[in-house]
Amino acid sequence: MDIVTLLAFAAVSFVGIATPGPTVLLALTNGSRHGLRRAVAGMVGAVLSDFVLIGAVAVGLGALLAASEFWFSMLKWAGAAYLAFLGIMLLRSKGTIDAALKSDEAAARSTFSLGLKSFMVAATNPKGYLFFSAFLPQFIEPAQPQTAQYLLLALVFAVLDFIIMFGYAFFGSQAVRFLKTSGALWLERACGGALLALAGSLAFYRRATA
């Protein structure tokens, strides 16, 4: 894969990742609620999901979802329900930033939970599989070994994803310092409302048909 193709992939990916979606909204929320250090766990979960999605596309799962209404619908409704659940939890927030973490054991459980949430949000979104199925082949050279190319694209995408999420989490962690309790509450509720909107969007999303 030549450097021009790789740079083009990176540029398009950067724009797509930076556009607010479920994982970057979670990074923003995690940064404001738990601080930048713990928010890294959520970023790791999202990055792992990048490899799962791209790996799934490489072995043909994206094509399966594009062809099968049943499996597409199953994954779509699971993803929409999970996004809605997270959105409702944020809307019900009391605005207590990190108040529940009172021990190292609780902190460890919370850190794992942050990673799992971000992973599940991405891994249960069929739009991600369909997006990569349409997007990645444009940068793959069919005459060259494809496994190495998919791995390289996954690494580039994951690095960009982590950097952008880190920026969102950093913004959230800094913004909350200047907000009173009511301000932190409304930040969480705004993110919760955005996640609910994304859940609704996913619920009404239909795969393209020939």
Side-chain angles (χ1 to χ4, degrees), residues 33-204:
R33 300 186 82 189
H34 307 290
L36 187 59
R37 183 171 63 86
R38 287 203 180 105
V40 169
M43 302 175 212
V44 172
V47 165
L48 289 176
S49 73
D50 293 336
F51 286 100
V52 169
L53 265 65
I54 294 176
V57 168
V59 299
L61 181 57
L64 172 64
L65 291 176
S68 171
E69 180 68 32
F70 173 78
W71 289 113
F72 175 84
S73 297
M74 289 288 288
L75 192 60
K76 179 183 78 170
W77 287 110
Y82 192 63
L83 279 177
F85 167 75
L86 294 178
I88 290 171
M89 293 298 289
L90 285 175
L91 287 176
R92 296 179 61 190
S93 169
K94 303 298 183 181
T96 51
I97 308 301
D98 213 16
L101 303 178
K102 298 187 181 298
S103 69
D104 291 340
E105 182 180 356
R109 288 198 302 269
S110 174
T111 298
F112 177 79
S113 175
L114 295 181
L116 183 61
K117 285 178 183 177
S118 294
F119 177 85
M120 292 300 297
V121 161
T124 58
N125 188 345
K127 294 169 69 174
Y129 296 94
L130 297 183
F131 167 75
F132 280 124
S133 292
F135 179 54
L136 294 179
Q138 301 179 49
F139 301 92
I140 295 294
E141 174 54 56
Q144 301 297 325
Q146 295 194 12
T147 299
Q149 293 183 75
Y150 274 110
L151 180 58
L152 179 59
L153 294 181
L155 287 171
V156 171
F157 191 91
V159 169
L160 290 173
D161 199 12
F162 185 89
I163 291 172
I164 292 169
M165 286 188 295
F166 190 91
Y168 273 88
F170 178 78
F171 175 79
S173 67
Q174 296 301 307
V176 78
R177 295 183 178 183
F178 301 99
L179 296 174
K180 297 180 180 179
T181 300
S182 59
L185 172 63
W186 284 110
L187 176 62
E188 293 184 7
R189 288 183 173 176
C191 289
L195 288 176
L196 277 178
L198 289 170
S201 173
L202 179 57
F204 286 102

